[in-house]
Amino acid sequence: MAILTEKFNTVHDTAPFSQISEKDYISAFDEGIALTKKEIEDIVNNPEPPTFENTIEALAYSGLTLDRISNIFFNLHSAETNDELEKIAQDVAPKLSALGNDITLNTDLFSRVKAVYEQKDSLTLTTEQQTLLEKSFKDFARNGALLNNEQKQKLRDIDAKLSVLKLKFGENVLADSNAYQLHITKEEDLAGLPEGVIEAAASLAKSKNKDGWIFTLDYPSYIPFVTYADNRELRKEISLAAGRKGFQENENNNETIVLEIVQLRHQRAQLLGYETHADFVLAERMAESPSKVLAFLNDLLAKAKPAAEKEFQELTAFAKEKDGIEVLEKWDGSYYSEKLKQQKFQLDDELLKPYFKLENVLKGAFEVAHKLYNLTFSKVHNIDKYHPDVQTYEVKDEQDNLVAIFYADFFPRKGKRQGAWMTSFKPQYIKDGIKERPHISIVCNFTPPTETKPALLTFNEVTTLFHEFGHALHGMLANTTYPNLSGTSVFWDFVELPSQIMENWCYEKEALTLFAKHYETGELIPMELVEKIKESASFLEGMATVRQLSFGLLDMGWHGQDPSAISKVKDFEKLQFASTQLFPDVEDNAMSTSFSHIFNGGYSSGYYSYKWAEVLDADAFEYFKENGIFNKEVANKFKENILSKGGTTHPMKLYKAFRGKEPAVDALLRRAGLIK
């Protein structure tokens, strides 16, 4: 059945999830790959001389059917996987990798691209077309088009191995997460835990036909446990389990995989003429080079570390005074931070949760988008979805034109990987005069509703929702011609600006009054709580900054040098964490073996970009604050220069067109309370 390769007979061309079965994917991928190859052959065999239209543009529009199949399949592989999908992913990944190589290593195709590229100064092209031409040429050069045949084969072998290793890494992390549960049978062991967390744990135990309460490594279960549970030994147990993911003597161990991935990435970079994997990656980033990234991270570290050490000493003294704790361990960090925060600000996440009912927060995000960008979100029930939990919306502008389809998937389940992310089932582009609008999805793992309470979010979950919604707006408001320059197809250290800037509205009274209402009484969140949220925003910010920088430095450690001398993951980590370590090390825990962002996601040599984008978002939000957080003129400049433009122009040019100047790091330091 060719359900995945034919035009969908659905509302707005949405994915027909209920009509797709697992067995459809293999044949669909094979057909999609064959179709893409045919499109490439047609470009290569065109008897006309190479032009922008018949070569560069034709290439940009090739593979759309296969991309659609891949988007559907790999989104389900992350959000609703099973054994069958995992087997298919292992089968398909090397085929897709081989196709990518078939295209970028196709000598005849490259010669046509090169011929157009060499005429670039005499062509009359728009800015977007110039960017596409530059990108097309670089994609070939950066992926081996200039190599000889023996080197090309070596590149193919490396890419095929990497595609499988990355998948296996993610599957091992998920398997270790799913294998662990903390089963509590004594009520006294629940001391300190909020009522809603206890209820959710009881509900989970009941669903597994067990008495008592079950806690897991899923964040909505794990984070509240290590934050509130008074039983230090149980906090230690679950914390150690989290730190052992991919680092145990079992079939899910990721140590060898980590070493293999970094070795292969290094070999690949060297083959392509770059010193390291980081040099290869950063050539296409705002940061440009590993030395610039390390200078940026270490500069921030120098400014944040004195504050972090002072905060750590204060936290240690507090834990000793409160409970006689001599050495503050990793499983004590969240617990005593929360207690100290409550003492300082009389602010408790549990006090805030009743004001953050999920439905209200989502409506609040929609209302913020309406006030800024004139968007309206209408829930619809005629769009197919892959799980009953998923909500579907039509997004329209003030003229009632369809802007996007929006999917929202909020709760954890067995086949869903941890964390939160934005993705798309279909990109935005214009082809043959037809404006194709995007189908965007956000996927989260929030605390689900219980028998007695709706889904109530922690403040951290509120900011997570706004963060992913910011990414979604970047996808939804895309307005470019070519699919590979649309939406979030931007330099990786620019992609977090639209998401991180949205978090700022969560701290503003004007925005909170739109949605922060008590789920039972409808009472607006008291303004003294809003003030406390703002005051506490920079609480222990030094420690949080150093923690984030430690991940960026670990990433650069793995990818910014020759890794061939590294034999033990743990020993290497200790070296990388030396400048940022606050808590004592835990010998049987490792970070790298479950660091999915860099070993299974797209953040290798790019984890620094969270902090880089924070500089951009703090600077950009200062501009909003100066003019009013719902100022239409500033919002329109952000929409026109950032959200709609995708990767059509260098991001620094886009940022300066919006802001009128380059970003200043001081805005971030001011917001973090690290400078006055």
Side-chain angles (χ1 to χ4, degrees), residues 208-222:
K208 293 176 182 284
N209 297 316
K210 292 198 173 176
D211 293 330
W213 303 265
I214 288 177
F215 296 88
T216 69
L217 299 180
D218 288 333
Y219 284 165
S221 181
Y222 173 76

Side-chain angles (χ1 to χ4, degrees), residues 263-332:
Q263 290 278 12
L264 288 167
R265 283 174 173 167
H266 184 69
Q267 288 168 26
R268 189 181 195 281
Q270 294 240 298
L271 195 59
L272 294 167
Y274 293 86
E275 194 176 329
T276 66
H277 178 67
D279 284 281
F280 168 76
V281 169
L282 294 165
E284 288 291 281
R285 299 287 191 266
M286 287 179 85
E288 296 170 338
S289 69
S291 57
K292 265 198 180 177
V293 170
L294 287 169
F296 169 74
L297 293 174
N298 286 316
D299 179 45
L300 270 180
L301 181 60
K303 287 167 175 148
K305 198 171 180 186
E309 288 173 335
K310 194 173 165 202
E311 290 163 4
F312 189 73
Q313 285 164 6
E314 184 187 7
L315 199 59
T316 302
F318 174 73
K320 186 171 183 184
E321 182 195 333
K322 190 168 178 17
D323 291 324
I325 302 292
E326 290 296 332
V327 178
L328 200 67
E329 301 281 2
K330 283 181 180 171
W331 45 89
D332 298 318

Side-chain angles (χ1 to χ4, degrees), residues 79 220 358-359 387 389-391 408-414 416-417 443-449 454-457:
L358 171 60
E359 289 80 357
H387 189 277
D389 283 354
V390 178
Q391 300 171 35
D409 178 0
F410 289 124
F411 305 121
R413 43 179 187 269
K414 187 169 181 277
K416 189 179 191 181
R417 71 175 167 88
V443 187
C444 304
N445 281 278
F446 293 149
T447 310
L456 301 175
L457 304 188

Side-chain angles (χ1 to χ4, degrees), residues 252-268:
N252 304 322
N253 187 289
N254 272 335
E255 289 171 87
T256 307
I257 289 177
V258 165
L259 295 175
E260 280 184 56
I261 287 174
V262 294
Q263 290 278 12
L264 288 167
R265 283 174 173 167
H266 184 69
Q267 288 168 26
R268 189 181 195 281

Side-chain angles (χ1 to χ4, degrees), residues 550-560 595 598 603-608:
S550 75
F551 300 157
L553 289 165
L554 176 63
D555 174 28
M556 292 308 291
W558 279 120
H559 296 115
F595 198 172
I598 67 170
Y603 279 85
S604 65
S605 305
Y607 202 84
Y608 75 90

